[in-house]
Amino acid sequence: MTTGLATPLPCIALAGPTASGKSAASLAIAERWPVEIISVDSALVYRGMDIGTAKPSLAERARAPHHLIDIRDPAQAYSAAEFVADTRRLIGEIRARGRAPLLVGGTMLYFKALMDGLDDMPRADAQVRVALEARARSEGWPALHAELARIDPVTAARLAPADAQRIQRALEVHAVTGQPISAFHRTQRPHDNPIGAGALISLEPTDRAWLHERIAQRFDAMLAEGFIDEVRRLRARGDLHADLPSMRCVGYRQIWEALDEAGHAPLSPRQAQQMRDRGVFATRQLAKRQITWLRSMPQRVALPCDAPDALARVLEQVGRLMER
């Protein structure tokens, strides 16, 4: 007996480190199949942060529906739990329209939360956060990272000493609950995973130097497009500060710090070069962490983003999934 209901189109994920070609591949997919793109990027949620996030242009967004872009003001926070709730809702809505959800991005914490589920994490505590931010200003985030290594070595081992947002959250959870944040990540619920077998496509470089060069080229292109002026406009609002999650985004943090150092004067050539080098280095470190996260996901289908036929391989894998 048949119900007459069509099998829903698959939920496909396209992940990878920054500058690996995810956005171009997602638009190529959208030209061939009926998909709607869900951004898996913790920076693209912020309005007014366009250049430094490599946000898809309005013309690109007109080529395919995009979701979870420009949904928050930079003064607001957006959590992994909110991402999971929004994404699960969107997956249902997109499938109800007879289209396939295509999750695209590089925020691995969001992918992990969606695929493995979320534990009952404590809510943010404003007083604890203010105290931690004050300590960070006087002691530096590497000192707080060292403290985290003593109380939660598992979490500290996967965080960079300057990863302010996650170090703060880990210390906050410990201060509020007395337990390490890693204790809240032990329960996995794979049956909640909306991304089926073979549907997590991971763009990964075989030659790290190839990715490093693309990162440097893209950062230079952002600077040429007016990235520094974009950060100046955000600073001029008066309600943003360097400890907000939005302003901790790679690139934004380094430019903010350079503008702090320069004061009211224009950036000197030395300051501009140092800022550029710090931004490129921080972006490369981000890519390294993203690749490490991806390699811990055995269910992924890894494809070489630096191969001449990288796009063809992605389209071939998507085609297999769409024809199931």
Side-chain angles (χ1 to χ4, degrees):
M1 177 179 177
T2 60
T3 63
L5 295 175
T7 302
L9 289 173
C11 179
I12 301 170
L14 183 61
T18 184
S20 59
K22 300 183 295 296
S23 295
S26 69
L27 291 173
I29 293 168
E31 289 175 355
R32 289 161 176 79
W33 293 283
V35 303
E36 295 189 25
I37 297 168
I38 301 175
S39 170
V40 188
D41 190 304
S42 60
L44 292 188
V45 301
Y46 293 116
R47 293 185 289 271
M49 294 173 58
D50 303 327
I51 298 172
T53 62
K55 187 174 291 179
S57 67
L58 293 178
E60 288 171 328
R61 282 183 257 175
R63 292 165 60 185
H66 284 66
H67 303 278
L68 302 188
I69 294 177
D70 290 341
I71 61 170
R72 287 288 186 279
D73 183 86
Q76 300 172 315
Y78 186 67
S79 68
E82 289 174 303
F83 167 80
V84 170
D86 288 342
T87 298
R88 290 191 178 279
R89 171 182 54 79
L90 286 166
I91 288 172
E93 292 173 356
I94 292 167
R95 281 178 159 166
R97 290 190 283 269
R99 302 171 74 84
L102 176 61
L103 281 67
V104 182
T107 299
M108 301 309 163
L109 178 63
Y110 286 4
F111 275 121
K112 182 173 176 58
L114 181 66
M115 294 188 296
D116 294 345
L118 286 164
D119 296 286
D120 190 18
M121 297 282 284
R123 290 182 175 273
D125 187 302
Q127 289 186 327
V128 172
R129 290 199 167 189
V130 168
L132 289 169
E133 288 167 1
R135 286 186 56 198
R137 285 192 290 271
S138 61
E139 302 172 35
W141 286 109
L144 271 68
H145 181 267
E147 178 180 325
L148 180 62
R150 292 191 295 273
I151 62 176
D152 188 357
V154 172
T155 298
R158 64 177 179 82
L159 299 183
D163 193 346
Q165 183 175 356
R166 293 185 177 91
I167 293 169
Q168 181 191 59
R169 178 58 174 156
L171 289 173
E172 175 192 30
V173 168
H174 186 269
V176 172
T177 68
Q179 299 181 63
I181 197 171
S182 55
F184 291 88
H185 294 315
R186 288 173 188 155
T187 303
Q188 306 230 326
R189 291 182 288 277
H191 58 276
D192 289 336
N193 182 5
I195 302 170
L200 173 59
I201 302 169
S202 175
L203 292 173
E204 301 173 26
T206 55
D207 179 7
R208 199 71 67 91
W210 176 90
L211 185 64
H212 286 179
E213 181 59 26
R214 279 178 60 96
I215 287 170
Q217 290 175 354
R218 189 168 77 164
F219 198 86
D220 288 338
M222 289 174 175
L223 292 174
E225 289 170 19
F227 192 5
I228 296 173
D229 287 337
E230 181 172 84
V231 178
R232 283 197 177 105
R233 287 193 296 271
L234 292 165
R235 287 167 60 94
R237 287 178 33 157
D239 63 336
L240 303 178
H241 56 83
D243 290 322
L244 285 168
S246 59
M247 294 301 103
R248 291 174 185 160
C249 291
V250 166
Y252 289 87
R253 178 189 299 177
Q254 287 73 34
I255 294 177
W256 189 289
E257 290 172 349
L259 294 174
D260 273 347
E261 180 182 338
H264 296 293
L267 293 177
S268 69
R270 177 189 64 82
Q271 289 171 325
Q273 184 63 44
Q274 287 181 340
M275 176 209 67
R276 183 265 182 194
D277 292 344
R278 289 169 185 162
V280 170
F281 177 77
T283 309
R284 288 174 176 172
Q285 290 299 107
L286 169 63
K288 180 180 179 181
R289 294 194 298 274
Q290 290 169 316
I291 292 169
T292 299
W293 272 81
L294 284 166
R295 289 178 176 169
S296 71
M297 298 176 177
Q299 70 273 43
R300 81 197 192 284
V301 176
L303 299 177
C305 57
D306 50 347
D309 61 344
L311 180 57
R313 295 194 196 190
V314 171
L315 296 176
E316 182 182 6
Q317 179 63 19
V318 173
R320 291 194 194 103
L321 294 165
M322 296 295 284
E323 291 165 8
R324 283 183 181 176

